[in-house]
Amino acid sequence: MNTVKVSVIIPIYNTAQYLRQCLDSIIGQTLQEIEIICVDDGSTDECPQILAEYAARDPRIKLLHQENKYAGTARNYGMTIASGKYFAFWDSDDFFRPKALELMYKQCEKDDADLCICSATHYFDDIQKSFPNSGYLRKKYIPSKRPFSSEDIPDHILNFATAHPWNKLFRRSFIEEMGLTFHETPNGNDIFFVINCIARAKRITIVDKPLVCYRVNQPRSQFGAANRTPLTPINNWLLTRECLIANNAYPKRSFDNKILGTLLYFLHNMRSWEAFRTTYLYIKEEVLPQMEITVQEDGYYYSAANAQSLERIFADTPEEFLVYFSHATYKQFNEKNGRYQILARKNKKQAAELLASRSQIDALSHELTAIKESRSYRFACALAAIPRKLRDLFAHHK
């Protein structure tokens, strides 16, 4: 039997409608010396039957089963039996370009790299089209030399790529040397693992091609989990920071920018007032002080919008910030829509297909409608209309 070059580890939970496309894209990889470790995380749909069917056809597929303990636990379980020189952690509702593993494997071998990162496209189910997304590999932050590390880009080491594991190839010996595993939490399980790998890797390389098709307009379980347990991923970031400091691998400015954008993203994805309020107060009163995140001089934060939001967090109540954040999100959406219209003049067909996908627009519209109809929003609007001096005077004499 050929030596296994890459172990592909896939946590699977109730993704039957996408699983065949995912498995077909892995079986069809041009790099054939792989093992495909499928960890069924207690699925209640047809996933177990589909997995058994594929395992009977391809001896490279290994099946593991566990009770529903979430993706982090499943990935850790898969690593216990993996034998490849490199690990890929792919998701069962995505699919992958045929040369994905071959290109990343060869790049790792060429550069003797601990970690390889590729780009990705967003795949929209409703129109069955993929569109590029530059957020997974931000070229403006990547140095020209290969391989590179945090020593080469200390201010941007955590900002040139995302904290997702599925567009990366990890050298097994590197993971074992650091003793890293995924957190076994309902959401945010990959933060600690991926951020530590990026910050502490001595040799990072890239494949500047979109090799992963990431399905974006379908409900993913972590969004629901984020509202049920909103503080879990934030606590994982706190633990990640502690680990980086303990290992003398803490890139403060890069981390500050990364976590600020992440915290605002968490707030944006809160779908209930209670989850939003709880998360906001925890960020304001606990997280920002613990992480020593403060308002800085111009230029410290790479996004002016994020810097302004940080100032508002320190100054605003949850109700006030909700009004501000809703308006800022609406403005950003209009700006993005304007860019799509510019794209339409350059490439009418592609832009028309993108604008035809109404899922994100509808979701934002429903979110804003719900906010405007809430008592908290009406109260905040009324409160915002009162001059601050009068409010202070009222509070003083209350």
Side-chain angles (χ1 to χ4, degrees):
M1 181 178 178
N2 292 331
T3 301
V4 175
K5 293 179 178 178
V6 177
S7 297
V8 182
I9 301 171
I10 316 164
I12 299 157
Y13 180 71
N14 288 351
T15 53
Q17 66 186 113
Y18 310 118
L19 185 55
R20 292 181 186 277
Q21 184 180 26
C22 173
L23 292 175
D24 287 341
S25 72
I26 300 173
I27 291 171
Q29 289 290 305
T30 54
L31 183 69
Q32 289 288 295
E33 298 91 339
I34 65 175
E35 62 180 357
I36 307 166
I37 302 173
C38 299
V39 187
D40 177 38
D41 187 31
S43 295
T44 57
D45 61 3
E46 297 178 358
C47 283
Q49 292 87 340
I50 295 173
L51 291 172
E53 172 193 331
Y54 274 75
R57 288 162 30 192
D58 193 322
R60 297 176 300 170
I61 296 179
K62 301 178 180 179
L63 300 185
L64 299 176
H65 297 274
Q66 66 178 31
E67 296 178 0
N68 182 219
K69 298 180 179 178
Y70 312 114
T73 307
R75 289 171 177 145
N76 292 338
Y77 190 12
M79 280 195 285
T80 63
I81 70 164
S83 60
K85 183 176 182 180
Y86 298 92
F87 291 168
F89 300 98
W90 284 355
D91 286 347
S92 60
D93 49 1
D94 299 328
F95 59 98
F96 311 90
R97 300 304 182 190
K99 288 190 174 182
L101 291 179
E102 178 184 356
L103 292 175
M104 296 181 79
Y105 172 82
K106 286 183 176 179
Q107 197 67 47
C108 278
E109 290 289 284
K110 177 183 177 182
D111 294 330
D112 189 25
D114 300 317
L115 174 65
C116 180
I117 306 175
C118 71
S119 187
T121 59
H122 280 179
Y123 180 80
F124 292 81
D125 260 336
D126 49 0
I127 59 174
Q128 298 185 351
K129 294 288 184 179
S130 296
F131 295 94
N133 187 293
S134 61
Y136 298 105
L137 204 58
R138 297 187 176 182
K139 299 177 185 179
K140 66 179 180 178
Y141 294 145
I142 301 174
S144 57
K145 66 174 291 190
R146 301 286 187 277
F148 61 93
S149 71
S150 61
E151 293 183 358
D152 300 298
I153 49 170
D155 286 346
H156 298 101
I157 187 62
L158 302 181
N159 314 107
F160 80 92
T162 65
H164 300 102
W166 39 256
N167 66 330
K168 300 170 179 67
L169 196 66
F170 304 84
R171 183 196 292 271
R172 173 186 181 159
S173 59
F174 167 62
I175 293 173
E176 292 176 343
E177 178 184 345
M178 292 194 299
L180 289 176
T181 58
F182 289 86
H183 280 164
E184 300 182 350
T185 53
N187 53 328
N189 68 83
D190 44 10
I191 295 166
F192 181 87
F193 184 93
V194 175
I195 293 298
N196 266 279
C197 283
I198 295 175
R200 296 165 63 184
K202 300 301 182 184
R203 302 175 69 85
I204 301 173
T205 192
I206 66 168
V207 173
D208 187 13
K209 293 184 178 181
L211 304 178
V212 178
C213 294
Y214 175 66
R215 210 178 297 269
V216 295
N217 63 332
Q218 52 93 17
R220 292 188 176 230
S221 60
Q222 62 261 39
F223 290 159
N227 284 272
R228 293 190 300 272
T229 56
L231 306 185
T232 298
I234 298 176
N235 288 332
N236 288 348
W237 276 103
L238 287 168
L239 292 172
T240 301
R241 178 179 181 270
E242 292 175 5
C243 185
L244 292 177
I245 292 174
N247 286 277
N248 296 315
Y250 179 51
K252 178 170 174 51
R253 186 185 180 195
S254 180
F255 189 93
D256 286 356
N257 276 271
K258 185 73 171 182
I259 192 60
L260 177 56
T262 301
L263 293 174
L264 294 171
Y265 176 79
F266 288 156
L267 288 173
H268 175 73
N269 282 288
M270 294 297 103
R271 292 295 179 261
S272 72
W273 165 246
E274 188 56 38
F276 180 91
R277 184 178 183 278
T278 299
T279 304
Y280 178 84
L281 291 175
Y282 186 59
I283 289 172
K284 179 176 182 175
E285 298 171 2
E286 299 290 339
V287 177
L288 295 179
Q290 286 188 50
M291 291 190 174
E292 300 178 330
I293 306 292
T294 60
V295 175
Q296 298 279 357
E297 60 186 16
D298 291 345
Y300 182 82
Y301 294 109
Y302 309 140
S303 165
N306 289 356
Q308 184 178 11
S309 293
L310 178 63
E311 293 182 18
R312 295 298 298 258
I313 289 176
F314 283 119
D316 289 353
T317 65
E319 292 83 2
E320 290 171 324
F321 186 79
L322 180 60
V323 175
Y324 158 77
F325 202 42
S326 299
H327 178 65
T329 301
Y330 181 73
K331 283 181 60 179
Q332 290 171 13
F333 171 78
N334 280 341
E335 291 169 0
K336 181 179 289 186
N337 191 49
R339 290 195 294 271
Y340 288 159
Q341 292 175 5
I342 293 173
L343 175 63
R345 291 192 288 271
K346 296 180 179 179
N347 189 334
K348 293 182 179 180
K349 182 178 179 181
Q350 185 184 50
E353 290 172 342
L354 181 57
L355 289 169
S357 176
R358 302 294 300 178
S359 58
Q360 290 182 316
I361 298 173
D362 291 342
L364 181 58
S365 177
H366 293 323
E367 180 182 349
L368 289 174
T369 299
I371 290 172
K372 290 179 179 179
E373 292 176 352
S374 69
R375 293 177 61 187
S376 300
Y377 176 86
R378 293 196 297 270
F379 171 75
C381 287
L383 189 64
I386 303 172
R388 186 172 295 275
K389 289 184 178 180
L390 291 179
R391 274 184 284 155
D392 293 342
L393 182 63
F394 174 77
H396 179 72
H397 291 287
K398 187 175 179 181

